[in-house]
Amino acid sequence: MSKFFKTVSWIYFLAFIELLLSPSGASAYSVVRFGAKGDGRSDSTSAFIRAWMQACSSVRPAILSVPRGTFLIRSVTFTGPCRSRIQFAIHGILVAPDNYYAIGNLGYWIQFHKVSRLSIIGGTIDAKGAGFWSCRSSGQSCPQGARSISLQWCNNVLVRGLTSYNSQIMHISINRSNNVKIQNVKINAPSGSPNTDGIHVEYSMGVTITDSTIKTGDDCISLGQGSMNVWVEQIGCGPGHGISIGSLGNSFNEGGVQNVTVTNSVFTKTQNGVRLKSWAKPSGGYARNIVFRNLIMRNVGNPIIIDQKYCPNNICPHQNSGVRISQVTFTNIKGTSSTQAALTFRCSSSNPCSGIRLQDIKLTYIDRLRRPTLAYCENARGSNSGTVFPRSCL
Ligand SMILES: *[C@@H]1O[C@H](CO)[C@@H](O)[C@H](O)[C@H]1NC(C)=O
Ligand SMILES: *[C@@H]1O[C@H](CO)[C@@H](O)[C@H](O)[C@H]1NC(C)=O
């Protein structure tokens, strides 16, 4: 055999061995090899960054793995673009330092920036937000607060099987990112924790959130300006403030929300069920082609609500929302309300809601006096079909 062929077969042999070691054919990078320690105390931030840089520059698909153990990390940005697809496989727990300033200053704890073909699989993250929440409630000056996971300008992302505890502010933020799938995540923060939204979407297209359990102090899921083609299915929400579109219309120039479906989900003891919310201010924003379908409400404050008069601390007196809300369908929504206000459509007088459709609604009041639930309409236009209880005001 010529020397050339010997060399080639030797290369194939080595590649074959590597394939055996890593069945997916991907190159594996364990953070421990880069100096991370799973003792819960040592700062592993720079080891994670070194491991990321190696994995991200791999020509072959890369797996960056975090083994069992508790790894302490400060704010970190994992920057792309990477040369191939990359999987963040977390078997252990990532924790933030006890001092909330360590992650609170930059707006994020774990950020992915301009990464495409990313999957984040498994793992538990704990931002230890309680110190930050009490700083805020004490009225002291506090850092701005960190989103636990922030996807910025990322495309083709899968997050599967992640558990997130006690974020300072949002748990998962998806911003300027397209084609993002969130599956089987568990989010856990106490019902009184401020602004701890479960999953927030903004300026992103093609986001699906499925088979997840979200217990938190703010919205389970919030879809902000520029959210398009969003699918939400099989969510257990509560405690929390429900699934919301908004708040929209805080600024004049903002992207609309379009083509959103929320289906086959259960709300338990939440402040709201499904909600659209906009500031009572001039705005060029809109929300249209929204479907809420097959939902169960258990003891929910406002099971169905559109509120265009959002104006905390009365900072927008005598103004109307400029956000145009149209083509919003509520189908097969059943269960109990913890207030009499089961259906609320409080729309803008300058931009009435149009194309609101109610079909097969049955919402009863949890009340020992057996009072009925009520529907309230203001500047709302639309139609009803099937059984609608309480009796519709459209
Ligand atoms: C989304 O990204 C824009 C532009 O990068 C930024 O100004 C904004 O604050 C981000 N919002 C969130 C919720 O991350
Ligand atoms: C609406 O969004 C879904 C994903 O949720 C997508 O499959 C569908 O093509 C979108 N429809 C339009 C008209 O863009």
Side-chain angles (χ1 to χ4, degrees):
M1 221 192 305
S2 77
K3 195 172 176 205
F4 172 75
F5 278 110
K6 265 189 192 154
T7 311
V8 168
S9 54
W10 182 236
I11 286 170
Y12 274 108
F13 178 69
L14 285 180
F16 177 67
I17 292 294
E18 266 195 83
L19 275 172
L20 285 181
L21 293 175
S22 152
S24 60
S27 306
Y29 302 85
S30 166
V31 291
V32 172
R33 249 176 55 206
F34 293 82
K37 285 202 175 64
D39 60 7
R41 286 177 292 118
S42 311
D43 185 339
S44 293
T45 316
S46 51
F48 272 65
I49 292 172
R50 286 194 296 273
W52 173 265
M53 280 163 54
Q54 287 289 313
C56 185
S57 58
S58 166
V59 182
R60 293 200 302 158
I63 299 176
L64 189 148
S65 67
V66 180
R68 282 181 202 289
T70 302
F71 295 85
L72 181 84
I73 56 171
R74 289 174 287 117
S75 290
V76 55
T77 298
F78 299 113
T79 308
C82 297
R83 291 180 74 182
S84 184
R85 64 179 61 248
I86 188 158
Q87 185 188 113
F88 212 114
I90 311 173
H91 304 285
I93 305 170
L94 309 186
V95 294
D98 286 319
N99 178 352
Y100 50 81
Y101 278 90
I103 65 165
N105 284 318
L106 298 172
Y108 58 83
W109 176 28
I110 301 165
Q111 170 162 264
F112 294 88
H113 190 255
K114 298 195 170 160
V115 184
S116 290
R117 297 187 293 165
L118 165 71
S119 45
I120 301 169
I121 307 294
T124 298
I125 63 170
D126 186 350
K128 298 193 177 173
F132 176 75
W133 309 330
S134 52
C135 176
R136 289 185 78 175
S137 60
S138 71
Q140 299 164 248
S141 71
C142 310
Q144 61 169 302
R147 303 171 178 94
S148 285
I149 298 235
S150 168
L151 301 170
Q152 281 278 134
W153 304 99
C154 293
N155 293 327
N156 305 322
V157 178
L158 170 67
V159 178
R160 180 192 285 153
L162 178 80
T163 302
S164 175
Y165 286 100
N166 301 330
S167 59
Q168 289 190 342
I169 51 173
M170 296 158 187
H171 285 262
I172 298 177
S173 159
I174 301 165
N175 190 13
R176 312 264 168 188
S177 298
N178 298 327
N179 190 17
V180 177
K181 292 186 168 55
I182 310 276
Q183 300 172 348
N184 291 95
V185 303
K186 290 193 175 66
I187 289 174
N188 270 287
S191 61
S193 54
N195 300 116
T196 52
D197 293 49
I199 301 171
H200 176 76
V201 181
E202 214 173 277
Y203 285 111
S204 297
M205 222 190 269
V207 176
T208 63
I209 304 168
T210 52
D211 302 293
S212 295
T213 309
I214 304 175
K215 303 176 182 190
T216 188
D218 206 304
D219 293 331
C220 290
I221 297 173
S222 56
L223 306 177
Q225 46 184 312
S227 301
M228 288 192 183
N229 304 349
V230 177
W231 188 272
V232 175
E233 179 158 13
Q234 299 278 8
I235 304 297
C237 167
H241 292 184
I243 295 183
S244 294
I245 294 180
S247 309
L248 303 178
N250 190 21
S251 58
F252 189 83
N253 289 311
E254 67 167 43
V257 174
Q258 178 169 318
N259 186 18
V260 172
T261 301
V262 176
T263 185
N264 299 341
S265 294
V266 180
F267 298 76
T268 308
K269 293 188 178 171
T270 47
Q271 188 193 72
N272 308 287
V274 287
R275 167 169 69 159
L276 285 88
K277 176 176 163 193
S278 77
W279 287 78
K281 288 195 210 176
S283 170
Y286 64 84
R288 62 182 175 230
N289 301 333
I290 315 287
V291 176
F292 298 107
R293 190 170 60 212
N294 306 341
L295 306 176
I296 294 172
M297 303 288 166
R298 294 184 181 138
N299 205 353
V300 167
N302 301 285
I304 293 176
I305 176 166
I306 298 180
D307 181 9
Q308 293 208 267
K309 303 225 160 149
Y310 181 63
C311 184
N313 308 320
N314 199 26
I315 57 170
C316 32
H318 314 299
Q319 297 182 58
N320 295 314
S321 177
V323 173
R324 285 159 294 139
I325 295 179
S326 61
Q327 310 307 326
V328 184
T329 301
F330 300 90
T331 303
N332 189 23
I333 301 181
K334 304 205 166 139
T336 52
S337 177
S338 62
T339 71
Q340 262 186 299
L343 298 177
T344 305
F345 302 112
R346 195 183 294 123
C347 297
S348 164
S349 54
S350 57
N351 293 281
C353 299
S354 65
I356 310 292
R357 280 190 284 269
L358 291 172
Q359 182 178 25
D360 300 326
I361 307 291
K362 185 161 191 257
L363 294 164
T364 54
Y365 185 23
I366 294 200
D367 179 26
R368 267 176 294 145
L369 302 175
R370 296 178 178 274
R371 282 170 295 188
T373 45
L374 300 172
Y376 174 79
C377 285
E378 189 181 330
N379 306 310
R381 292 167 198 162
S383 59
N384 309 291
S385 57
T387 310
V388 176
F389 182 85
R391 198 150 67 115
S392 177
C393 50
L394 290 170

